[in-house]
Amino acid sequence: MTSEKRRPIIAGNWKMNTTPEEGAALAESVLNQSMQLPDLDMVVCPPFTGLHAVAERLTGSSVSLGAQDMHWESDGAYTGAISAKMLLTLGCRHVILGHSERRTIFGESDDHVNRKIHQALTTGLLPIVCVGESLDERESRRTEQVVTVQIRAALSGISEGQMEGLVLAYEPIWAIGTGRVATPEQANSVHHHIRSLVEAQFGAHVSSAIRIQYGGSVKPDNAHELLSQPDIDGALIGGASLEADSFIAIAQAAVS
Ligand code: PGA
């Protein structure tokens, strides 16, 4: 679709792991090793409770801070929820939205995801929007259909200007935390499809610029193959982001 070079973006989703102290130490190790990697964007996403401690370590560095979720309202009676403004004041630049664990375990709908994206963009956070099919959906050849519905719903009502800085992540559910990874061809073909959906809604200018990450059991030994695919612009990494060495090795694969 395009040969325009997009800057890779590597994000670590720490999920429900690390205390503030552990998170600060992990961020510090990532930071120390990230100095040799100027040609990509790096993001770490600790749990809410670790954001402050990690932000202190990252201040002034090129590694950005992200959160793993947020609420779609700006404030109010939403026990247990966190707003976009709270994340911004802690120094977050990114927020992961629509992760499959949020969708399947916490019952988040496409409508919730869409509302969250609107709120993030209005407030000034850059969303990393996740989509992906289950094993059953893949085996019954519904991958493109499922991803199409998720992308259309997620990006409903978003303007062309708001797409700048928004990142998409294709994460097949069957590959998350399972050690089972999509082949580079399987992944690239869905990425290509997602890019065509973005083109249909926003035009070639936006679709050639938007970055689409792959997520699902990305490890140092499979990263290069995946990240060298033409439509794969980075990775969203769970398990392998909990060790600075493996996170950095994946980042290196993105620019090698
Ligand atoms: P994983 O998780 O790398 O552990 O498979 C990826 C994700 O859920 O973002």
Side-chain angles (χ1 to χ4, degrees), residues 13 15 99-101 171 175-178 215-219 236-240:
N13 174 10
K15 308 192 180 184
H99 190 280
S100 63
E101 285 150 18
E171 298 205 303
I176 295 178
T178 57
S217 297
V218 179
K219 306 278 181 258
L236 181 55
I237 306 153

Side-chain angles (χ1 to χ4, degrees), residues 33 48 59 73 82 87 106 140 151 159 189 196 204 212-213 223 233 256:
Q33 298 184 59
F48 293 133
T59 307
E73 293 292 349
I82 299 284
L87 299 179
F106 300 100
S140 55
I151 289 281
S159 71
S189 127
S196 71
I212 309 174
Q213 297 176 312
D233 309 310
S256 64

Side-chain angles (χ1 to χ4, degrees), residues 66-82:
Q68 300 173 17
D69 185 35
M70 51 165 259
H71 198 265
W72 59 81
E73 293 292 349
S74 53
D75 48 55
Y78 300 99
T79 302
I82 299 284

